[in-house]
Amino acid sequence: MPPILQRLQQATKMMSRRKILLLVLGCSTLSLLIHQGAQLSWYPRLFPLSCPPLQDSPPRPKHMTVAFLKTHKTAGTTVQNILFRFAERHNLTVALPHPRCEHQFCYPRNFSAHFVHPATRPPHVLASHLRFDRAELEGLMPPGTVYVTILREPAAMFESLFTYYNQYCPAFRRVPNASLEAFCAPQGY
Ligand SMILES: *[C@@H]1O[C@H](CO)[C@@H](O)[C@H](O)[C@H]1NC(C)=O
Ligand SMILES: *[C@@H]1O[C@H](CO)[C@@H](O)[C@H](O)[C@H]1NC(C)=O
Ligand SMILES: *[C@@H]1O[C@H](CO)[C@@H](O)[C@H](O)[C@H]1NC(C)=O
């Protein structure tokens, strides 16, 4: 075969390959658009033409039960608030401490299911301070509960604890000028 014909044949092959590729690409893009449009309805969100319909109830999340081990000075109150709002939104029961435990689950005693107010049992959400006891929590919370906590870098957390509790904790109250430097001084104070 003359080289010019060979080159022509190659060019035709490349063209048809390119065409097939383009066709496949076009089809998958179209199917993706139709699919996504139906599933996630991003189109009306991107181009809102009218007000979205009001939802009777919010979409059901994957997990509805959560036990949050709230620790001190780790942004736990922020997360607790988020969880309380989540519970309110989804009409969930929140475990609240028994009045004799005050606002924490009788901290620093090891957690017991008896520390939970009977009117808030069985709970879906638990997010107040407690000292972790796995068996007691597992007995209280429904199966499939998600357990969450927050860990903070220890030195930063201690600094925060020291400032927060310096008039409360006896060991900190003794420190002159509530000074962390004085507390940490190797010669003592
Ligand atoms: C919320 O939950 C309570 C108790 O679980 C139930 O009696 C009440 O009907 C629920 N309300 C809504 C709006 O779902
Ligand atoms: C509290 O829990 C810790 C850790 O499980 C355990 O070592 C300790 O003995 C418990 N204290 C009491 C009073 O039960
Ligand atoms: C406490 O503060 C006072 C006034 O700022 C200062 O004179 C004193 O040296 C401080 N004492 C210590 C132990 O840091």
Side-chain angles (χ1 to χ4, degrees):
M1 204 185 284
I4 180 77
L5 271 185
Q6 263 182 359
R7 239 182 268 158
L8 247 166
Q9 211 175 26
Q10 271 174 359
T12 322
K13 257 191 213 161
M14 290 242 309
M15 279 288 282
S16 55
R17 253 191 235 152
R18 235 182 251 165
K19 261 186 207 160
I20 289 168
L21 197 73
L22 275 175
L23 197 72
V24 168
L25 220 84
C27 283
S28 44
T29 309
L30 196 70
S31 108
L32 197 78
L33 283 180
I34 292 166
H35 201 68
Q36 290 280 0
Q39 285 239 314
L40 303 172
S41 62
W42 55 268
Y43 184 81
R45 248 185 274 157
L46 282 179
F47 309 100
L49 299 173
S50 61
C51 293
L54 284 174
Q55 278 179 334
D56 293 330
S57 55
R60 198 181 158 80
K62 198 168 162 194
H63 296 287
M64 294 294 265
T65 50
V66 54
F68 173 52
L69 174 62
K70 186 174 189 273
T71 51
H72 292 92
K73 313 320 293 168
T74 57
T77 304
T78 305
V79 172
Q80 181 192 50
N81 256 282
I82 293 167
L83 289 172
F84 283 171
R85 285 165 203 223
F86 173 80
E88 190 167 19
R89 189 173 162 84
H90 296 283
N91 194 29
L92 303 175
T93 305
V94 176
L96 293 177
H98 195 280
R100 72 184 147 79
C101 288
E102 297 182 17
H103 70 289
Q104 311 184 349
F105 290 111
C106 284
Y107 193 89
R109 287 172 62 191
N110 286 3
F111 180 75
S112 155
H114 295 114
F115 298 164
V116 179
H117 197 295
T120 62
R121 290 176 61 170
H124 300 104
V125 173
L126 175 144
S128 297
H129 284 297
L130 58 82
R131 186 154 281 180
F132 189 74
D133 185 302
R134 185 178 178 154
E136 283 290 317
L137 279 169
E138 281 179 351
L140 173 76
M141 300 301 295
T145 294
V146 180
Y147 290 81
V148 200
T149 194
I150 299 174
L151 299 178
R152 184 175 173 188
E153 193 273 315
M157 181 166 144
F158 182 77
E159 202 175 336
S160 182
L161 278 173
F162 182 84
T163 309
Y164 193 77
Y165 290 111
N166 72 60
Q167 294 312 309
Y168 176 76
C169 172
F172 297 164
R173 235 183 0 220
R174 287 195 296 267
V175 181
N177 295 352
S179 151
L180 183 60
E181 285 70 27
F183 183 78
C184 294
Q187 71 274 18
Y189 48 86

